[in-house]
Amino acid sequence: MPPRRPDPEKLRTALDAQLVALDEPPFDGPATALAGALVAAVLAAYDRGRTPERDAARQAVRHLLDRLTAAAPGRTVEVRVPPYAAVQAVEGPRHTRGTPPNVVETDPRTWIELAVGRLTWQEAVARGAVAASGARADLSAHLPLDRPGRPG
């Protein structure tokens, strides 16, 4: 299944709201750079000790989860980032009913930092920032998402 295509206007609205909250000018770059700029703006909010705008954080988390499903297609591991989204990814036996046997759950900030490479899987697990259950619930082979040769 191909990754879902986010609505550029929704991304731009969320990005501009986050930039305003950071006292920065609105985004004036190309539509192709919206998602990356949004992730950077959400990280900037965290770096400044602020809570990101809800829609900006949701859109950033969703974008990075979609990138994970493109890089690691499958239905073996359920990756949950409450309260924003959950996806199934990673090739292997398909889960169809009940509680999935392989689950990864983390908070939005940790997910974003893992996805962009600011935090390693091992660091996040050691901190207790990731709950991972199941034999296949290790995403270290798939993170960060910007490794060479990965779909972007």
Side-chain angles (χ1 to χ4, degrees):
M1 183 156 99
R4 114 190 138 79
R5 296 272 181 223
D7 179 339
E9 285 308 308
K10 288 182 180 179
L11 284 177
R12 185 177 298 276
T13 299
L15 172 56
D16 284 344
Q18 184 61 67
L19 291 172
V20 165
L22 293 169
D23 296 321
E24 294 184 17
F27 181 74
D28 65 353
T32 55
L34 280 167
L38 178 62
V39 170
V42 169
L43 284 170
Y46 285 128
D47 291 345
R48 294 179 191 181
R50 298 182 181 178
T51 300
E53 296 297 303
R54 183 173 175 82
D55 194 43
R58 183 180 66 77
Q59 295 275 359
V61 164
R62 184 72 224 192
H63 165 70
L64 293 169
L65 285 171
D66 288 344
R67 293 212 27 230
L68 174 67
T69 63
R75 296 187 147 314
T76 300
V77 179
E78 185 164 295
V79 182
R80 301 173 181 167
V81 185
Y84 299 125
V87 297
Q88 290 185 352
V90 183
E91 213 174 318
R94 182 177 177 180
H95 162 72
T96 57
R97 300 176 76 180
T99 301
N102 300 288
V103 176
V104 171
E105 187 167 322
T106 191
D107 63 276
R109 181 178 187 163
T110 300
W111 169 244
I112 293 169
E113 289 182 343
L114 282 166
V116 302
R118 279 193 176 188
L119 183 63
T120 69
W121 179 259
Q122 293 76 16
E123 291 167 337
V125 170
R127 287 185 192 170
V130 169
S133 63
R136 296 175 179 261
D138 179 342
L139 298 179
S140 60
H142 308 288
L143 297 170
L145 296 172
D146 283 330
R147 289 185 189 166
R150 287 267 168 85

